[in-house]
Amino acid sequence: MPENKKVIIKVDIHDDKGKRKALKAVSGLSGIESVAMDMKDQKMTIIGDIDPVCVVKKLKKWHPAILTVGPAKEDKKKEPEKKKENEDDAAKKKKKKEEEEEEALRRWIEFHSYRGFNPFPPQQICLHPVEENPNSCVIC
């Protein structure tokens, strides 16, 4: 599952036109959930499954500087736990997850280790003699 990040970038923007262009440039990236701009502090806050380096590349016109990169905080209220999970259940879940990861890795290795696969098959050229083709033209 993708991990959301909260990235705060300092940009050199002084007017609304520059703000609009910067927000438009960043919003074109995939995985972005929200973008906010604080004109007073000249900081842009971006939340989503993004790479901070890609964001900086998009904003290079405004001389960006990455201030912080961290996990996105979720504003959900914590529900009181009705009952705690037993340590046995947690251990079983962890063991099952490890087994699934091992199985997935084994399948991946098995798929990619097949040596008979040739990504570049030999080219086949069909040559027909001139005598057999009535529509052929030969200049002698």
Side-chain angles (χ1 to χ4, degrees):
M1 179 162 188
E3 183 178 325
N4 287 341
K5 297 177 188 172
K6 181 178 182 180
V7 181
I8 299 176
I9 298 176
K10 184 168 180 67
V11 289
D12 189 25
I13 297 176
H14 300 287
D15 58 347
D16 288 333
K17 185 176 180 182
K19 175 184 173 183
R20 189 170 52 245
K21 286 183 178 182
L23 289 174
K24 185 175 181 181
V26 171
S27 65
L29 293 171
S30 63
I32 293 197
E33 289 183 9
S34 69
V35 179
M37 179 75 187
D38 183 12
M39 289 296 289
K40 183 178 178 183
D41 297 331
Q42 294 183 342
K43 293 181 182 178
M44 182 179 285
T45 304
I46 304 156
I47 298 174
D49 181 29
I50 52 171
D51 183 17
V53 176
C54 293
V55 175
V56 169
K57 284 181 183 179
K58 284 286 188 177
L59 295 172
K60 66 182 176 182
K61 182 178 180 181
W62 296 280
H63 310 288
I66 299 175
L67 297 178
T68 60
V69 177
K73 296 180 181 177
E74 296 182 8
D75 295 329
K76 294 182 179 178
K77 296 180 181 177
K78 293 184 179 179
E79 297 178 3
E81 296 182 18
K82 294 183 180 176
K83 58 180 175 176
K84 297 180 181 179
E85 291 184 5
N86 294 337
E87 292 178 7
D88 296 336
D89 292 340
K92 287 179 183 178
K93 287 181 182 179
K94 185 176 180 182
K95 185 177 179 181
K96 184 177 179 182
K97 185 176 180 182
E98 288 176 0
E99 288 175 357
E100 289 175 357
E101 289 176 356
E102 288 176 6
E103 178 67 20
L105 180 63
R106 186 191 60 76
R107 286 182 185 172
W108 186 85
I109 290 171
E110 182 180 309
F111 176 77
H112 290 290
S113 66
Y114 178 63
R115 300 284 181 202
F117 177 70
N118 184 4
F120 304 104
Q123 294 181 350
Q124 296 179 355
I125 301 173
C126 296
L127 297 175
H128 299 286
V130 178
E131 293 83 23
E132 292 180 8
N133 190 351
N135 295 327
S136 65
C137 178
V138 177
I139 298 175
C140 296

